[in-house]
Amino acid sequence: MKRKSRLLVTIGLASVMLASCMDPNKHALDIGAPPIIDGKTITAVRSIQSRSFETLNQESLVQASTATLQDLGFTVGEISNEFGVLTGSKERDAVEAGQIAVQSVIVVLALLGGSSHTPRYDETQKISITVLISKIDEKSSQVRVFFDRHITNNLGELWKADLITDAEIYQQFFDKMSQSTFLEENKL
């Protein structure tokens, strides 16, 4: 019994000594530093997510945004003309042949090794969009868009969730948005 107590005390002291040698999380200490997403600063991400539009009032921009979402295949969820907010989403297939092939090889290797493996691979993804419209001055407003996706695996589990930061996707949205604002502005 005494030997067990000494062993536990020794392990406890060793754990404390090892823990005290660790460096603190430097990112946690950088409170004022902007976060980095996919190698881009938050300022760079914000610049691809935002565009200014002139002459249209907020309600017209909400209508143009709604038309843009629908043109891009999104189902519009919530709309608030008063606050300049709207949301939408769409589901897409996320199955990749490479993931299934790798999981199949792992299953075979596990069986040969006398074990088992439950394959997991991307199955569906839900892409969500949030559009925020804010007034800059009497003649212009800013539109900021956020795309994110949630990937579910073949077992129905939420597998991955991330903010989409691909500039091309945002550019496509704003190109369509420019067309919609033109149509809305000219009542076409």
Side-chain angles (χ1 to χ4, degrees):
M1 185 69 154
K2 203 172 196 184
R3 191 170 184 202
K4 253 187 184 176
S5 296
R6 278 190 197 161
L7 180 62
L8 288 174
V9 169
T10 304
I11 290 172
L13 287 173
S15 299
V16 169
M17 289 173 55
L18 287 173
S20 66
C21 293
M22 292 177 56
D23 287 337
N25 181 341
K26 291 191 185 337
H27 295 292
L29 297 176
D30 291 339
I31 293 171
I36 305 226
I37 303 168
D38 292 339
K40 300 173 185 144
T41 65
I42 195 67
T43 307
V45 172
R46 187 180 307 132
S47 72
I48 65 170
Q49 294 174 331
S50 304
R51 294 290 182 279
S52 294
F53 290 89
E54 293 186 15
T55 69
L56 285 179
N57 63 37
Q58 185 167 304
E59 188 174 328
S60 296
L61 279 173
V62 169
Q63 291 172 354
S65 297
T66 302
T68 302
L69 290 182
Q70 291 171 335
D71 289 347
L72 293 171
F74 284 88
T75 301
V76 177
E78 302 289 330
I79 299 175
S80 171
N81 284 325
E82 181 183 354
F83 296 108
V85 177
L86 65 139
T87 63
S89 63
K90 65 180 171 180
E91 290 199 20
R92 294 288 181 258
D93 183 25
V95 176
E96 293 181 19
Q99 285 184 343
I100 294 173
V102 168
Q103 290 297 314
S104 299
V105 168
I106 293 172
V107 167
V108 170
L109 291 173
L111 289 173
L112 291 173
S115 184
S116 67
H117 171 73
T118 303
R120 285 184 169 85
Y121 52 86
D122 298 348
E123 190 169 73
T124 60
Q125 64 179 329
K126 181 178 182 180
I127 301 169
S128 299
I129 183 171
T130 303
V131 180
L132 305 173
I133 301 165
S134 55
K135 194 173 187 178
I136 296 173
D137 57 35
E138 292 301 316
K139 294 184 179 180
S140 61
S141 295
Q142 181 183 50
V143 176
R144 186 166 180 196
V145 180
F146 303 89
F147 286 98
D148 61 81
R149 67 183 182 151
H150 297 86
I151 299 175
T152 306
N153 67 18
N154 60 309
L155 302 176
E157 303 165 334
L158 178 60
W159 186 244
K160 300 173 193 167
D162 57 358
L163 179 67
I164 298 173
T165 59
D166 183 1
E168 187 176 319
I169 291 171
Y170 289 90
Q171 187 60 49
Q172 289 173 3
F173 174 83
F174 286 117
D175 288 346
K176 290 267 187 208
M177 178 78 178
S178 293
Q179 293 170 3
S180 291
T181 55
F182 176 79
L183 294 173
E184 186 67 31
E185 200 171 67
N186 294 296
K187 303 293 182 204
L188 299 175

